[in-house]
Amino acid sequence: MVGPRTVQLLASAVTAAGMVATPLNAQGGVARRLLSSVVVGGLFATTTSATVSRWGSVRSLLAATSTAVGTTWVEHVGTRTGRPFGAYRYTDALRPQVAGVPAIVPLAWFAMAVPARETAHAALGDRSNPLTRVAGGAAALTAWDLFLDPQMVGEGYWRWTRRGVYRGIPLSNFVGWFASSLGVMTLLEVLLPAEEPAADLVAEYGFMAAMETVGFAAYFRDRVVAVAGGAAMVPVAAVAAIRLLGRRM
């Protein structure tokens, strides 16, 4: 029987391969749509297997399911009302969809939420407590959207009614992301009690920060997003890694 650690390693390899292959294919094409599902699916499997190893299958299932249901509802409401993100809609590019929301979207929320929480937990050090972890985790997760939204809008997976100041994305989107992330982090705080920061989940966040920064700078050729996303994610990941190493010395 394949254990969660083996799944985690295999899923990490699939995620990395999918991210490397993405810019080698045409923007908006079928290959990139398939690779989006591969990357998100691999990331979700990586996070879930790491979560199972640390907190057990019951807590992990509850956390993943609750996050998926909650974020599907938030995204569904968002596309109908424009709150909390601003007025946007999903196209038909990503399938299947649940309540008008692509199925991979709630998977992506959970896939990066747990690494973001653990990275914030490690970076905070002695100042880590439930309130700071929720706020720090929400900020770390929102930082990732500085990469995610420009890429997905560029692929035509969703569209904003009015162009915003950041690669066509309104600032209200990031306010909505932070508010929604606060809810997700509160949920994780209840279902996945904080212990010693999980080094593998911190590494996952750092890996994504590095890959996205290099990807936008060198392959997607968008220095603005590379700088903005890198400045938001990389320092947090670096501080978390340094403090983790300090704990072990």
Side-chain angles (χ1 to χ4, degrees):
M1 184 175 179
V2 178
R5 289 299 184 190
T6 301
V7 172
Q8 184 180 356
L9 290 172
L10 291 174
S12 298
V14 168
T15 303
M19 293 182 75
V20 170
T22 295
L24 303 180
N25 291 276
Q27 185 179 41
V30 175
R32 280 206 186 179
R33 287 203 299 272
L34 292 173
L35 286 167
S36 293
S37 296
V38 169
V39 171
V40 173
L43 198 61
F44 177 78
T46 301
T47 297
T48 302
S49 55
T51 305
V52 168
S53 295
R54 189 169 185 83
W55 287 280
S57 56
V58 174
R59 282 187 177 275
S60 300
L61 179 61
L62 282 173
T65 302
S66 300
T67 301
V69 170
T71 53
T72 297
W73 178 79
V74 169
E75 295 277 358
H76 174 73
V77 170
T79 58
R80 296 299 185 273
T81 68
R83 298 178 182 177
F85 307 105
Y88 72 106
R89 66 178 181 84
Y90 285 104
T91 66
D92 293 329
L94 295 178
R95 292 284 180 174
Q97 297 188 357
V98 178
V101 179
I104 65 170
V105 169
L107 299 186
W109 274 95
F110 180 75
M112 279 302 289
V114 186
R117 197 282 292 267
E118 290 301 295
T119 300
H121 181 24
L124 286 163
D126 293 337
R127 296 180 180 178
S128 181
N129 60 56
L131 290 178
T132 59
R133 280 193 298 274
V134 166
L141 183 56
T142 303
W144 178 54
D145 195 47
L146 291 169
F147 286 124
L148 178 67
D149 234 274
Q151 184 177 356
M152 299 300 101
V153 169
E155 296 294 339
Y157 298 156
W158 57 80
R159 297 191 178 119
W160 293 94
T161 301
R162 295 181 180 179
R163 283 187 59 82
V165 298
Y166 179 67
R167 288 298 185 252
I169 301 155
L171 296 181
S172 61
N173 170 67
F174 303 105
V175 175
W177 254 77
F178 183 72
S180 302
S181 296
L182 287 173
V184 172
M185 293 301 156
T186 300
L187 187 67
L188 296 182
E189 195 67 28
V190 173
L191 296 176
L192 305 176
E195 304 168 356
E196 283 292 310
D200 52 353
L201 288 164
V202 173
E204 185 179 349
Y205 186 88
F207 171 79
M208 291 299 292
M211 287 288 284
E212 297 271 18
T213 301
V214 172
F216 271 95
Y219 297 99
F220 296 124
R221 301 188 184 283
D222 191 331
R223 300 293 174 84
V224 170
V225 174
V227 170
M233 287 187 75
V234 172
V236 180
V239 171
I242 290 169
R243 289 195 166 165
L244 274 180
L245 288 173
R247 285 171 180 262
R248 298 186 176 189
M249 291 180 64

